[in-house]
Amino acid sequence: MTNAAALTALQSLSATNKSLEQTQARISTGYRVSQASDNAAYWSIATTMRSDNAALSTVQDALGLGASKVDTAYTGMNNVLTTIGQIKTKLLSTVGQTAAAKAKTQTEINALQAQMKSFADAATFSGSNFLAVTSKQTAVPNDGVQADSQIVSSFNRSSSGAVSIGTIDIDVEGTKLFDYGLATEVKNRGTLDRQTSIYSTGAAQTLYDNAYATALAGGATDIAANTAGQAAAGAVVPRVDNISAYNLDITAAGVTDDIITQMVTRIDKVMAQLTDSATILGSAKSSIDLQKTFTQSLMDSIDRGVGQLVDADMNKESTRLQALQVQQQLGIQSLSIANSASQSILSLFKN
């Protein structure tokens, strides 16, 4: 009634076939753990880390976009620095010159100023410009200070599983050269259109400069700082107001060689400020490059870690496949022998 040998052989063959199916699945997918039933813990870890790696890939793209924005601004800033150096040279050359010569030089200066504006306006990438900005009045009074531009730099998961996003912040207020808001809206001009006053005496100029710097350090806008400086300097004439790197007229009434010398000093200070702005962009560029390298290394590390958890050892699995195929053949033979033995017993009764 019961062929015990055949049942044993059948159980062994079934176990071999199951192992064979598992090995074939590992070879075909390349994974030792391809679904939760293979190993729930490893599958859960691998699924989460793959999701995080996809997020890191998006971060890598954001860093690339941010790098392009900073590179564009940095290129514009370098060109502006070169151009304002030329303006400084032109100003120096006019000291002691005739009115006619100064008029010709003023024409050249105007062209260089227009070129600086063109550089700033063109330094736009994907709608972002860190050199030429526009302040607009909103429901909240506008202080003219530009918000930092944020570049997504990291995707972080804490040990408790909490997710956070890291950013590299670009100090646009420190890099802006022009502010194109309306006259009633502009509260804090950029480096190139920030206006100051120039006095004919050194004492008055010192009083103005000190009051102007103190007001700015206290959080005042450039307009308020200019007013404070004028109040401190007093009524000294001649005096030239509304001087900026983008607004220099050496042919205007009251502009003497001493005033032009002060203009050169102003331009030299502007160059120092532009150098600081270029440093902001250069530092951001360096941070982005470092973060890009780290993010790529982190993604590779996660890939390796996930692979160690779930990847199949193809050498091992191919060897196991051959062994199981042999076991399968032997199991079939064993089952055949067990069935043949029963048939031999039955043949005795027939005889």
Side-chain angles (χ1 to χ4, degrees), residues 145-150 170-173:
V145 176
Q146 296 295 308
D148 291 349
S149 178
Q150 295 185 325
I170 310 299
D171 180 15
V172 179
E173 179 63 22

Side-chain angles (χ1 to χ4, degrees), residues 197-212 226 228-239 259 262 266:
S197 299
I198 294 180
Y199 289 79
S200 57
T201 67
Q205 191 66 58
T206 299
L207 289 173
Y208 172 87
D209 290 343
N210 290 340
Y212 183 86
N226 190 29
Q230 290 173 356
V236 176
V237 292
R239 182 183 92 188
I259 296 292
Q262 287 292 333
R266 284 287 179 273

